[in-house]
Amino acid sequence: KYVSLTAALLTLLTFSNEVSALSKETVALHVHEIIGQMPTGNCEQRDALADELVKLNPEATIALTEMLLTPSNPDDAKVRYGLSALTYHVGRSNAEFERTVYAKALIDALQFVSDKHNKAFLIEQLQLIGKQEAVKPLAEYLEDEFLCDYTARALLTIQTDDVESIFLKALNFANRTTRPTIIKSLDLLQSQAAAVEISKFAFSSDSNTRETA
């Protein structure tokens, strides 16, 4: 078992070294060719194409996120399918190294993707495959009025030991738009530490906050 795992890691590292030697433009060209064959007619073909993307990671994920357009643009469908295929593929058992590389690439991409809808899509992917590495990077988006709900769902799904403290901290900086989401999240976590703070909002002048508390 350990021999096979080591061999797998060495293979991935070899591919990683090969990819790092490729130019950004060359990787993007390969990625275009791969997603040009998507969506696929069967699971086997989808997985095979996703595996090709994995071999080009993390650069492939970055290239895909740079290709994202608005969700309403039909040309955006193949890019989203490619990212979704990657999410599904690295989420299988015995793919922890691939998952980690992909998750970290999504986290990096969140820093430069400007469109809020596209950020939300990336957060949704992290909700499906993110673990501890995604928690702190996601926490900052709890302050964003548009992304707060997406982020809360992702953190509640990942739910590492420090998630409760992150929501508690976010409650201190929440506004009338984000506060109900933070309160609901702490309630779902059955946070005893938040009970006193939340009770203060029972008499809030804001009806959404008051009803949530």
Side-chain angles (χ1 to χ4, degrees):
K1 178 180 179 181
Y2 293 108
V3 173
S4 61
L5 178 59
T6 301
L9 288 172
L10 287 173
T11 300
L12 284 167
L13 287 171
T14 299
F15 277 120
S16 179
N17 288 334
E18 291 176 355
V19 172
S20 63
L22 298 175
S23 69
K24 180 179 177 181
E25 292 74 17
T26 301
V27 171
L29 180 61
H30 285 316
V31 171
H32 267 295
E33 291 173 349
I34 294 168
I35 65 171
Q37 302 172 61
M38 296 177 173
T40 62
N42 58 70
C43 296
E44 290 78 10
Q45 188 181 3
R46 178 202 62 201
D47 290 342
L49 292 173
D51 193 55
E52 290 185 41
L53 290 172
V54 164
K55 291 173 182 177
L56 292 169
N57 260 343
E59 286 81 357
T61 297
I62 297 299
L64 283 167
T65 58
E66 290 177 343
M67 295 176 195
L68 283 169
L69 303 170
T70 57
S72 60
N73 191 318
D75 293 333
D76 195 53
K78 288 182 180 294
V79 179
R80 291 174 187 270
Y81 189 97
L83 286 165
S84 296
L86 267 173
T87 298
Y88 181 84
H89 194 63
V90 304
R92 69 194 190 283
S93 59
N94 302 318
E96 181 60 17
F97 183 81
E98 295 175 7
R99 185 206 67 77
T100 302
V101 171
Y102 176 56
K104 289 182 177 179
L106 289 176
I107 292 166
D108 288 342
L110 278 172
Q111 301 300 312
F112 64 77
V113 170
S114 57
D115 184 273
K116 292 288 183 72
H117 291 90
N118 291 340
K119 279 184 182 288
F121 179 73
L122 299 185
I123 291 172
E124 287 176 331
Q125 305 315 299
L126 285 170
Q127 177 179 346
L128 295 171
I129 54 88
K131 293 184 180 180
Q132 183 67 62
E133 73 283 329
V135 174
K136 287 186 178 179
L138 284 174
E140 66 179 275
Y141 298 107
L142 287 173
E143 297 181 27
D144 187 286
E145 293 184 1
F146 181 81
L147 297 173
C148 182
D149 282 350
Y150 294 95
T151 303
R153 287 196 293 270
L155 290 173
L156 287 170
T157 300
I158 297 169
Q159 202 169 142
T160 51
D161 292 339
D162 51 346
V163 164
E164 180 184 5
S165 63
I166 284 173
F167 278 115
L168 284 168
K169 183 178 179 181
L171 184 60
N172 294 325
F173 301 99
N175 59 32
R176 64 186 302 271
T177 301
T178 61
R179 190 177 296 115
T181 296
I182 305 301
I183 292 175
K184 288 177 185 176
S185 299
L186 287 165
D187 183 54
L188 288 170
L189 290 171
Q190 298 183 327
S191 174
Q192 296 300 313
V196 174
E197 286 300 313
I198 291 177
S199 66
K200 296 177 182 178
F201 295 108
F203 304 99
S204 172
S205 58
D206 177 65
S207 59
N208 286 335
T209 299
R210 187 171 62 250
E211 290 170 9
T212 306

